[in-house]
Amino acid sequence: GAGVSQTPSNKVTEKGKYVELRCDPISGHTALYWYRQSLGQGPEFLIYFQGTGAADDSGLPNDRFFAVRPEGSVSTLKIQRTERGDSAVYLCASSQPAAGPGTEAFFGQGTRLTVV
Amino acid sequence: AQTVTQSQPEMSVQEAETVTLSCTYDTSESDYYLFWYKQPPSRQMILVIRQEAYKQQNATENRFSVNFQKAAKSFSLKISDSQLGDAAMYFCAYRDSGNTPLVFGKGTRLSVIA
């Protein structure tokens, strides 16, 4: 696609429910990143995929958070038993490592998750 | 772990004037990359400018330039001839060599006054 696409744009869910957030990266980008941005804060790293595998998941806050990228393209961030503290904007970014280490990461418009 | 600090939560500038946003970072690496991203209300982060640490020359992109002081671990953004469309959140970010994740500061909200 022309850019990184994230769906849904907004998601309201009840405390305790399960949610899935989708990221469709730029075609051909092998690196994919998830970040979480709380109100008034900068984005915080959650997980990084290189191809299909999670190269670094050290930012996932607990085992309620999980992400997959089964075919090395689309990724889904899954949150179980949502809590009000999970409310934030979830940003996805992709990049092409072959272009060099300083290559730009392209971001989607994020999913605003609200847990009520 | 690397950290990025933006000490100005909010800044304002008159249209057509110049403003400088501050950023400091902490790292033990010698080779790394620094970025400034702009985030308008649409939420999409847009790259403004990047700097490779091994380059002594400061990066410039049209009205945007940086003052990179490697020894001081400082990376400020200067916006010249400010325009109303420059109003946004600005984030300073750091990345090691390689495709490690970006580390962001908390951001500076820039207002442009007509």
Side-chain angles (χ1 to χ4, degrees):
Chain A
V4 178
S5 176
Q6 291 189 246
T7 54
S9 180
N10 293 281
K11 175 72 176 178
V12 179
T13 190
E14 293 180 346
K15 179 176 176 295
K17 298 289 188 182
Y18 167 83
V19 295
E20 290 188 351
L21 312 180
R22 176 188 168 107
C23 173
D24 201 338
I26 292 173
S27 178
H29 281 193
T30 58
L32 185 146
Y33 308 83
W34 283 99
Y35 295 86
R36 179 168 68 174
Q37 186 176 17
S38 300
L39 190 64
Q41 302 294 316
E44 294 178 323
F45 167 69
L46 294 176
I47 186 169
Y48 156 45
F49 287 91
Q50 179 56 46
T52 59
D56 183 355
D57 64 357
S58 62
L60 294 177
N62 52 59
D63 61 6
R64 296 187 297 105
F65 288 75
F66 189 71
V68 296
R69 195 187 185 197
E71 298 178 356
S73 178
V74 171
S75 176
T76 304
L77 179 65
K78 309 181 181 193
I79 310 174
Q80 299 178 321
R81 304 184 303 281
T82 52
E83 300 177 357
R84 292 195 179 88
D86 299 335
S87 298
V89 173
Y90 290 81
L91 294 169
C92 176
S94 71
S95 68
Q96 182 48 272
T103 190
E104 177 181 356
F106 292 85
F107 283 79
Q109 290 187 306
T111 294
R112 181 181 299 280
L113 176 66
T114 303
V115 182
V116 298
Chain B
Q2 291 81 8
T3 58
V4 176
T5 302
Q6 293 180 251
S7 58
Q8 305 154 316
E10 296 183 355
M11 292 283 285
S12 63
V13 62
Q14 290 284 142
E15 196 175 6
E17 296 296 309
T18 296
V19 65
T20 299
L21 308 184
S22 301
C23 172
T24 59
Y25 58 94
D26 188 23
T27 183
S28 58
E29 302 290 330
S30 59
D31 190 17
Y32 50 87
Y33 297 82
L34 297 164
F35 304 82
W36 278 98
Y37 275 88
K38 172 184 178 182
Q39 187 179 43
S42 69
R43 301 196 305 244
Q44 186 167 20
M45 304 282 273
I46 301 165
L47 179 66
V48 174
I49 198 165
R50 86 188 86 188
Q51 174 81 43
E52 295 92 338
Y54 64 85
K55 289 187 177 180
Q56 292 187 340
Q57 186 174 6
N58 288 325
T60 63
E61 287 286 344
N62 300 314
R63 297 183 296 107
F64 299 88
S65 61
V66 299
N67 183 2
F68 173 50
Q69 301 289 329
K70 191 171 184 179
K73 297 181 181 175
S74 171
F75 182 61
S76 60
L77 174 69
K78 185 172 84 170
I79 306 174
S80 303
D81 186 26
S82 296
Q83 300 176 0
L84 294 177
D86 295 334
M89 286 291 294
Y90 285 82
F91 292 94
C92 179
Y94 165 100
R95 168 189 274 168
D96 286 338
S97 59
N99 284 284
T100 54
L102 291 162
V103 177
F104 288 90
K106 290 189 174 183
T108 296
R109 181 177 301 281
L110 178 66
S111 301
V112 180
I113 303 164

